[in-house]
Amino acid sequence: MTKQVLFTKEDLREALAELARRLRERGVSAGIRIVGGAALALAYYDRQPTIDIDALIYPSLEAEGPVLEMVATMAAEHGWPGDWLNSNVKVHAPPALDAAWRVLFVEGDISVQIAPPDLLLAMKLNAARGVRDARDIDVLLELCEIRDLESAEAVFEHYYPGDALSEKAIGAVKRHLSPDG
C-alpha cells in the first residue's frame, strides 16, 4: 500500500542520489532538472516538506522513459507514491528555459540540477495558486531582489514571452510589496 510521504530536504537529496546511482548503474544518460517546491527546499530556504519532486527530464523522451521506470521501481520498493518524482510540470514549463541551472550533483551520465530563483519565481507566478504558493512567491521575490511590480513582470516576461501576469499573480506581488496595504 502506498502511503502519504513528506520529503524533507535530506529525504529529497537521498532519493535523488539513489535514483541517479541506479540510473548510472543501468547505463542511462539523462538530465533531471528540479523545479517547484523541491527545488526551493533543496537550495533556497528551509521550506516545509513536499509530497513530490517536479522535474523536467532531458534531453528527450528517450531519457524520460528510463527515469520514470526507475522512479516507479523505487516507489514500489520504498512504499512511496508512484509519482514521487514526476514530469507533469512540463506542460506548465515556460518555453524559455535559458537559465543558469545550479548543479546539485553529477553521477556518471546523470546530472541533477536545480532551477535558479528567477525561473522558479516565473513558474510560481504562472501558477499563482493562492495560499499554496504565497510563501514561496514571497521568498522568491526577496531572492530575486524584486522591489516593484514592473520588475516581477520583467522576470515573468523573460520566461513566458508574450504572456501577462494573471490578476492572482499581480495580487501576490502587490501583497508582498505592500504587506500593510
Side-chain angles (χ1 to χ4, degrees):
M1 180 174 143
T2 303
K3 60 187 174 202
Q4 174 75 27
V5 176
L6 293 175
F7 292 97
T8 64
K9 179 179 182 173
E10 294 76 26
D11 296 333
L12 293 168
R13 285 184 181 276
E14 289 173 12
L16 289 166
E18 180 181 345
L19 175 62
R21 179 185 52 76
R22 288 177 170 218
L23 290 170
R24 178 190 48 80
E25 289 170 354
R26 286 172 178 68
V28 174
S29 176
I32 302 170
R33 290 181 165 170
I34 309 301
V35 297
L40 289 165
L42 283 164
Y44 300 111
Y45 81 102
D46 189 19
R47 187 183 188 274
Q48 73 274 8
T50 185
I51 61 170
D52 65 357
I53 300 172
D54 296 318
L56 300 169
I57 301 167
Y58 67 96
S60 66
L61 287 176
E62 294 167 14
E64 188 171 22
V67 170
L68 295 180
E69 287 171 20
M70 184 55 66
V71 165
T73 297
M74 288 174 62
E77 290 174 4
H78 293 291
W80 297 341
D83 63 349
W84 67 270
L85 183 143
N86 64 78
S87 61
N88 299 339
V89 72
K90 69 183 170 188
V91 299
H92 302 291
L97 285 174
D98 58 332
W101 293 85
R102 177 178 168 179
V103 175
L104 185 61
F105 60 85
V106 175
E107 172 89 25
D109 287 337
I110 305 298
S111 172
V112 178
Q113 302 173 332
I114 298 173
D118 64 331
L119 172 56
L120 291 171
L121 176 60
M123 292 179 77
K124 286 289 183 177
L125 289 172
N126 187 51
R129 298 172 294 189
V131 173
R132 180 176 175 183
D133 287 327
R135 175 77 176 124
D136 292 342
I137 289 172
D138 286 344
V139 168
L140 289 164
L141 287 165
E142 287 299 318
L143 287 171
C144 293
E145 300 181 357
I146 301 294
R147 302 291 179 248
D148 54 55
L149 180 60
E150 294 75 23
S151 298
E153 288 172 327
V155 168
F156 184 80
E157 173 69 21
H158 172 77
Y159 289 104
Y160 294 94
D163 288 352
L165 285 175
S166 69
E167 288 302 315
K168 287 174 84 174
I170 291 170
V173 173
K174 285 182 175 179
R175 275 188 298 283
H176 173 79
L177 296 175
S178 304
D180 300 328

